[in-house]
């Protein structure tokens, strides 16, 4: 109350504004926001704030009388008028009804506020604040609740964490039968919300679970139990009907000619900001964590109301309703993250666009379009329903993988219901690393990929795991190293991982950008019908920066566009295999531009790769026997991550 009294002392025009708030049965916290009191402590549950605007006005009047201020008569009148709303509802006070009719008289399309709702017991229930739909209204009961709204906690569950997903052997001798077996179509598809898991071959299925909770404290306890975090960021999404009701109050004040109130209302705290102040402080206290806008864990607070669509549906155009399929998909994804039920109507959200459109409308336009209940600030029959949905921003784990056996693809390869090869690099990493994060899903982003029959040797291929909605925090370096060691065991020695580290989104972008700019080294075992001469060796090793025009290979033409791409072979070196090797066999070490098709460079691909190895050897035929990736030349690791982070911090400063 001290903050409100200080605001009144500086701006006497706030007094009639609070009187109007009392007349429409606003809540005590709406009195604070209308008076532009932004102190978070003023919105806390334990601040001793009166629950209704009428009681706020009464307390201000008592404080003024105690201080000997005789100019508190307007406040006293408002307090006397609204001090006992329940009694007025019981007796049907004619004087109150006449006063309400005078307040809305002359405003086209407005009707007096609706009568108070009747509780299930037969007696009158306390009115829901018409300005915030109960979102900011103090709780009337116990249980540690905040606000009069009902609470729902929406979380997600994923088949990625199902132990059965990791039960089937995919590598080694035990996986041979699985590789030859036909996978049922049902197992290849993602399971439905209530169906069984799609098996180890299907993408993770993520489902929502909305559970009613007794209070904000109960929801906070569930979040703290499920997630590991040091701080959190609160996001608030409210229906645009709150902006409609705020604009209705503006026109009400203008129509009744309350002196100075409309100017005072222009500086009012937005209800969305008030909700952030209110619930940020409450959540921080109940979670025992601090609030930080840069936190990885986000808690989405969204409000819904049965009347919201009817009161603000006509504002859909101002909220970007015609923004095309991409914007609609973005809104649907946002609603999904915030726990909105899939079948719920797309209610316009409280945005600057909606506020600006309402402010630019004339009184006649507003009255013609706005439903009468909202225009008259009728107390809604029930408070808003609040939903909390926690989710963590994607976390990134970088490293380098080695493929030590042939026949292992980078990602699961299912063709016509049958598995191609044994397991995959992706599945090996998933089985060893992902359980530690308890995430919903993940994406493996690598610096290119090798064919199923090509090994990845040397220091390994750089990759980043983008992990969605991880419950666990990023493990320390020693724990990450232990997880990396488990990859080789999970793949029966087929895949190994080196140097796992906490990566950044910036490194993910660098990894994608380097796909075409990096260089790679290969070792190809080749065969020619004749033994290479010293002149042949000199020709190959003397070739530098050879430009090769390569059309899309025939072997992948069914799934890629038929284009011709210029690529560069930087250098070559011939290694003779010794006297025990059959005639015509040799190892060719190459360093090439990323994206060069090495197999096609060797055998020519029916003339689609020019020049090829045979052309350089005087037109003889050449074949490739085996291929290994020896190195991917790009700086990547924890040192580069630290350097990029330091650069970003300097740019921000």
């Amino acid at each position: 109350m001290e903050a409100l009294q200080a605001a009144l002392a500086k701006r006497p025009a706030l007094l009639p504004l609070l009187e109007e708030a009392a007349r429409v049965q606003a809540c005590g916290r709406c009195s604070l926001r209308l008076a532009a009191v932004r102190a978070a402590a003023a919105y806390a549950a334990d601040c001793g704030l009166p629950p209704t605007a009428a009681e706020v006005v009464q307390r201000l009047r008592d404080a003024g009388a105690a201080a000997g201020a005789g100019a508190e008569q307007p406040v006293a009148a408002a307090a006397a008028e609204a001090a006992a709303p329940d009694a007025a509802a019981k007796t049907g006070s004619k004087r109150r009804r006449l006063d309400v009719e005078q307040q809305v008289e002359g405003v086209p399309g407005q009707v007096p506020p609706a009568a108070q709702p009747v509780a299930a017991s037969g007696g009158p229930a306390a009115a829901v604040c018409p300005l915030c739909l109960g979102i900011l209204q103090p709780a009337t009961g116990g249980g540690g609740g905040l606000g009069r709204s009902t609470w729902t906690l929406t979380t997600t569950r994923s088949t990625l964490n199902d132990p059965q997903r990791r039960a089937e052997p995919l590598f080694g001798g035990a996986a041979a039968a699985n590789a030859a077996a036909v996978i049922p179509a049902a197992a290849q598809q993602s399971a439905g919300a209530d169906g069984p898991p799609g098996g180890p071959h299907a993408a993770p299925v993520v489902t929502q679970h909305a559970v009613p909770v007794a209070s904000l404290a109960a929801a906070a306890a569930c979040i703290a139990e499920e997630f590991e975090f040091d701080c959190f960021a609160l996001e608030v999404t409210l229906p645009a009907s709150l902006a409609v009701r705020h604009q209705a109050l503006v026109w009400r004040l203008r129509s009744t000619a309350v002196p100075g109130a409309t100017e005072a209302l222009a500086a009012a705290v937005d209800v969305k900001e008030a909700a952030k102040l209110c619930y940020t402080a409450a959540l921080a206290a109940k979670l025992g964590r601090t609030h930080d806008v840069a936190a990885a864990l986000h808690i989405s607070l969204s409000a819904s109301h049965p009347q919201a669509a009817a009161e603000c549906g006509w504002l859909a155009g101002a909220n970007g309703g015609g923004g095309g399929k991409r914007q609609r998909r973005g809104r649907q994804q946002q609603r999904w993250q915030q726990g909105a039920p899939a079948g719920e109507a797309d209610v316009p959200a409280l945005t600057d666009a909606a506020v600006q459109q309402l402010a630019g409308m004339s009184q006649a336009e507003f009255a013609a379009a706005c439903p009468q209940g909202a225009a008259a600030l009728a107390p809604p029959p029930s408070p808003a329903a609040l939903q909390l949905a926690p989710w963590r921003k994607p976390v990134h784990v970088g490293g380098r993988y080695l493929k030590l056996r042939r026949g292992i693809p980078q990602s699961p390869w299912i063709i016509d219901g049958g598995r191609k090869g044994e397991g995959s690099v992706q599945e090996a990493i998933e089985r060893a690393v992902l359980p530690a994060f308890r995430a919903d899903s993940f994406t493996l982003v690598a610096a290119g990929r090798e064919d199923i029959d090509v090994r990845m040797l040397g220091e390994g291929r750089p990759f980043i795991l983008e992990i969605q909605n991880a419950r666990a925090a990023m493990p320390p370096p020693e724990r990450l190293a232990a997880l990396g060691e488990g990859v080789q065991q999970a793949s029966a020695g087929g895949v190994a991982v080196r140097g796992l580290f906490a990566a950044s989104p910036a490194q993910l972008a660098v990894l994608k950008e380097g796909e075409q700019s990096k260089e790679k080294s290969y070792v190809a075992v080749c065969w020619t019908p004749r033994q290479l001469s010293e002149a042949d060796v000199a020709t190959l090793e003397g070739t530098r920066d050879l430009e090769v025009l390569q059309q899309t290979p025939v072997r992948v033409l069914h799934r890629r566009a038929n284009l011709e791409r210029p690529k560069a072979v930087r250098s070559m070196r011939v290694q003779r295999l010794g006297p025990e090797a059959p005639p015509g066999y040799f190892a060719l070490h190459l360093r090439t531009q990323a994206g060069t098709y090495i197999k096609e460079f060797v055998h020519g691909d029916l003339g689609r790769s020019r020049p090829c190895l045979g052309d350089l050897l005087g037109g003889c035929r050449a074949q490739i026997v085996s291929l290994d990736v020896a190195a991917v030349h790009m700086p990547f690791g924890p040192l580069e991550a630290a350097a990029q982070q330091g650069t970003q911090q300097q740019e921000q400063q």
Side-chain angles (χ1 to χ4, degrees):
M1 293 302 298
E2 291 78 7
L4 186 56
Q5 290 172 355
L8 285 171
K10 295 179 181 178
R11 301 162 60 198
L14 289 175
L15 212 55
L17 177 60
L18 298 185
E19 293 176 7
E20 282 301 303
R23 290 190 179 95
V24 300
Q25 302 181 32
C27 68
R29 290 190 178 94
C30 276
S31 295
L32 287 179
R33 74 176 187 85
L34 295 179
V37 177
R38 288 180 169 81
Y43 290 89
D46 57 352
C47 66
L49 180 72
T52 67
E55 295 177 13
V56 170
V57 172
Q58 179 67 49
R59 188 173 295 186
L60 288 171
R61 185 201 65 178
D62 294 343
E72 295 292 338
Q73 295 305 316
V75 181
E81 184 62 34
D86 288 349
K90 290 179 181 178
T91 60
S93 171
K94 182 180 295 184
R95 183 171 63 84
R96 178 166 178 76
R97 289 199 304 271
L98 289 175
D99 179 71
V100 169
E101 291 170 1
Q102 291 175 0
Q103 296 299 325
V104 299
E105 184 178 0
V107 182
Q110 286 193 347
V111 296
Q116 285 188 317
V118 178
S121 61
V128 179
C129 175
L131 299 181
C132 70
L133 305 182
I135 294 172
L136 304 179
Q137 208 159 353
T140 55
L146 181 64
R148 304 188 54 194
S149 305
T150 58
W151 286 93
T152 302
L153 178 65
T154 300
T155 56
T156 56
R157 295 293 180 268
S158 174
T159 57
L160 182 65
N161 302 306
D162 191 337
Q164 294 183 355
R165 183 181 176 89
R166 299 185 290 273
E168 181 180 346
L170 297 177
F171 297 89
N178 293 329
V182 175
I183 300 168
Q188 299 175 51
Q189 300 175 355
S190 298
D194 299 322
H201 319 288
V205 180
V206 182
T207 55
Q208 285 184 317
H209 292 261
V211 180
V213 289
S215 63
L216 180 68
C222 293
I223 294 173
E225 181 179 359
E226 182 171 358
F227 287 85
E228 296 177 5
F229 61 102
D230 296 324
C231 54
F232 70 96
L234 180 65
E235 297 179 350
V236 176
T237 302
L238 303 178
S241 55
L242 295 173
V244 172
R245 287 178 168 266
H246 181 88
Q247 189 63 28
L249 181 61
V250 172
W251 287 117
R252 179 187 179 100
L253 293 171
R254 292 179 182 176
S255 301
T256 54
V258 175
T262 54
E263 291 77 8
L265 190 59
V269 176
D270 180 76
V271 65
K272 191 172 182 179
E273 182 184 349
K276 285 185 178 180
L277 293 171
C278 179
Y279 291 104
T280 296
L283 271 172
K286 291 173 172 50
L287 289 170
R289 314 292 204 281
T290 59
H291 181 268
D292 185 352
V293 294
L297 182 72
H298 285 228
I299 300 178
S300 296
L301 171 68
S302 58
S304 60
H305 195 270
Q307 295 175 323
E311 291 187 358
C312 64
W314 52 282
L315 288 175
N319 255 346
K325 292 184 179 180
R326 179 174 297 181
Q327 288 188 5
R328 286 195 292 273
R329 284 197 300 267
R331 289 196 302 275
Q332 290 170 357
Q333 175 67 13
Q334 183 183 32
R335 283 163 46 78
W336 184 90
Q337 286 180 334
Q338 293 163 351
E344 185 178 303
D346 193 4
V347 178
L350 177 56
T351 61
D352 292 340
V355 173
Q356 292 171 5
Q357 186 197 23
L358 288 167
M361 296 175 65
S362 66
Q363 183 177 4
E365 291 173 336
F366 179 81
C370 182
Q372 291 185 346
L377 293 175
S382 61
L386 291 178
Q387 220 171 43
L388 282 180
W391 57 278
R392 191 189 298 273
K393 293 196 301 185
V395 297
H396 301 87
V397 176
R400 290 175 178 262
Y401 77 79
L402 292 88
K403 198 167 74 176
L404 305 176
R405 283 201 306 268
R406 307 189 194 278
I408 301 177
Q410 188 184 85
S411 56
W413 194 354
I414 310 298
I415 300 177
D416 297 330
R419 174 180 283 275
K420 185 82 169 174
E422 63 164 311
S424 66
V425 173
Q426 175 180 308
E427 289 166 307
I429 297 175
E430 173 192 331
R431 292 191 171 196
V433 177
L434 267 295
F437 288 87
R438 294 182 285 124
D440 282 349
S441 60
F442 74 101
T443 303
L444 175 67
V445 181
R449 60 192 305 135
E450 66 284 329
D451 291 340
I452 187 173
D453 59 347
V454 176
R455 293 185 299 177
M456 179 67 237
L457 305 177
E459 294 183 356
R461 184 183 298 275
F463 74 90
I464 285 181
L465 284 178
E466 187 172 53
I467 303 171
Q468 305 292 336
N469 199 21
R471 271 63 170 183
M474 179 67 71
E478 59 274 12
R479 173 62 174 153
L480 283 176
L483 294 176
E485 293 173 359
V487 174
Q488 195 160 357
Q489 180 179 359
S491 62
V495 181
V497 164
R498 292 179 177 174
L500 287 183
F501 67 97
S504 66
Q507 278 191 294
L508 180 63
V510 171
L511 192 69
K512 293 180 178 179
E513 291 172 0
E515 268 188 45
Q516 299 302 321
S517 60
K518 65 180 178 297
E519 294 182 352
K520 299 180 185 178
S521 291
Y522 299 87
V523 179
V525 176
C526 305
W527 172 86
T528 55
R530 61 176 175 81
Q531 192 80 18
L532 291 188
S533 65
E534 293 300 327
D536 293 330
V537 174
T539 298
L540 295 180
E541 295 186 347
T543 301
R544 293 286 187 272
D545 296 326
L546 173 67
E547 184 180 85
V548 181
L549 297 179
Q550 293 190 313
Q551 289 181 267
T552 302
V554 173
R555 60 187 172 91
V556 298
L557 197 56
H558 62 285
R559 66 177 186 266
R560 295 183 186 175
N562 186 17
L563 301 174
E564 187 175 74
R565 304 171 180 86
K567 296 297 179 180
V569 177
R570 303 300 183 192
S571 63
M572 289 180 285
R573 180 173 61 86
V574 176
Q575 177 187 356
R576 298 190 184 274
L577 298 180
E580 68 279 2
Y585 286 85
F586 63 95
L588 182 64
H589 297 255
L590 307 96
R591 179 160 178 159
T592 70
Q593 179 185 354
T596 304
Y597 293 106
I598 304 301
K599 294 177 180 179
E600 282 66 28
F601 169 69
V602 173
H603 60 64
D605 196 25
L606 303 176
R608 298 171 65 86
S609 183
R610 314 180 306 276
C612 64
L613 180 62
D615 296 333
L616 299 178
L617 296 175
C620 75
R621 183 165 54 96
Q623 293 293 339
I624 188 166
V625 179
S626 65
L627 180 64
D628 293 324
V629 183
V632 178
H633 302 285
M634 65 177 299
F636 185 78
L639 295 179
E640 287 75 18
Q644 288 180 359
Q645 185 176 5
T647 302
Q648 289 179 345
Q649 292 177 350
Q650 291 179 359
E651 292 176 352
Q652 293 175 356
Q653 293 175 356

